[in-house]
């Protein structure tokens, strides 16, 4: 009875090679989209791309965005509290009315990002380089300690008074 064995081998091979593979979140590209009010809370979006994306009023609280690209993203009134933005690209992003409470931005690239009316209680900005005017603004509103890294916000900004 060699026939059933061949059929079984064929079916196994067929399913292994032709079943659709579900992509991981790391390969997700949300570039140049309007995602106003979308809920991405507590998702693993490590390495995702939000290049020039409108995320106004979106909920990204508790989301893992490590290594993600938010280059030029519009983050007006966006909830990024408790998010992981380590090593993220935030260049040219607009943070206006954005909640960054307890967010970790360690080693993120944010040199041309713009900050206005943001909440940074407990935010960890370790090794993030800012333009002088943004650094002065962030230092003026900085307070709190990040619950994960145990670092003081004002110290991670390296504010000098």
């Amino acid at each position: 009875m060699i026939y059933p064995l061949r059929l079984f081998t064929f079916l196994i091979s067929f399913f292994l090679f032709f079943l659709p593979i579900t992509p991981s979140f790391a390969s997700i590209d949300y570039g140049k989209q309007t995602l106003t009010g979308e809920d991405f809370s507590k998702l693993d979006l490590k390495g995702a791309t939000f290049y020039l994306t409108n995320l106004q009023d979106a909920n990204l609280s508790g989301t893992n965005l490590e290594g993600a690209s938010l280059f030029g993203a519009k983050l007006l009134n966006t909830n990024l509290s408790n998010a992981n933005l380590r090593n993220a690209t935030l260049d040219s992003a607009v943070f206006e009315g954005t909640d960054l409470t307890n967010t970790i931005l360690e080693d993120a690239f944010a040199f041309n990002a713009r900050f206005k009316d943001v909440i940074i209680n407990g935010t960890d900005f370790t090794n993030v380089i800012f333009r002088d005017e943004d650094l002065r603004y962030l230092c003026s509103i900085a307070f709190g300690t990040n619950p994960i890294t145990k670092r003081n916000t004002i110290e991670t900004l390296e504010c000098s008074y």
Side-chain angles (χ1 to χ4, degrees), residues 16-134:
L16 287 175
F17 292 109
F18 295 105
L19 279 179
I21 298 172
T22 306
S24 68
F25 285 116
S27 63
I28 292 180
D29 185 356
Y30 292 105
K32 297 183 180 179
Q33 294 186 39
T34 299
L35 300 171
T36 304
E38 291 291 325
D39 186 1
F40 292 100
S41 60
K42 299 180 183 167
L43 292 179
D44 185 1
L45 296 174
K46 186 175 183 178
T49 300
F50 291 91
Y51 173 78
L52 297 173
T53 301
N54 183 351
L55 288 161
Q56 182 173 347
D57 298 314
N59 184 1
L60 291 147
S61 63
T63 300
N64 182 10
L65 291 161
E66 184 172 353
S69 175
L70 286 95
F71 178 89
K74 292 180 181 150
L75 301 162
L76 287 74
N77 302 313
T78 302
N79 184 353
L80 280 163
S81 63
N82 301 296
N84 175 11
L85 286 160
R86 285 182 173 105
N87 298 304
T89 300
L90 308 171
D91 194 37
S92 300
V94 178
F95 293 88
E96 188 171 327
T98 308
D99 185 353
L100 293 167
T101 303
N102 297 327
T103 298
I104 301 171
L105 286 99
E106 185 174 3
D107 297 319
F109 183 74
F111 186 72
N112 288 317
R114 193 176 85 210
F115 296 86
K116 181 180 177 185
D117 299 325
V118 294
I119 303 166
I120 60 168
N121 181 19
T123 306
D124 186 338
F125 291 104
T126 301
N127 297 326
V128 179
I129 299 172
F130 298 100
R131 294 179 300 171
D132 288 340
E133 60 268 20
D134 289 315

Side-chain angles (χ1 to χ4, degrees), residues 132-149:
D132 288 340
E133 60 268 20
D134 289 315
L135 183 58
R136 278 191 298 275
Y137 167 67
L138 293 171
C139 285
S140 74
I141 62 168
F143 71 97
T145 302
N146 187 279
I148 304 295
T149 65

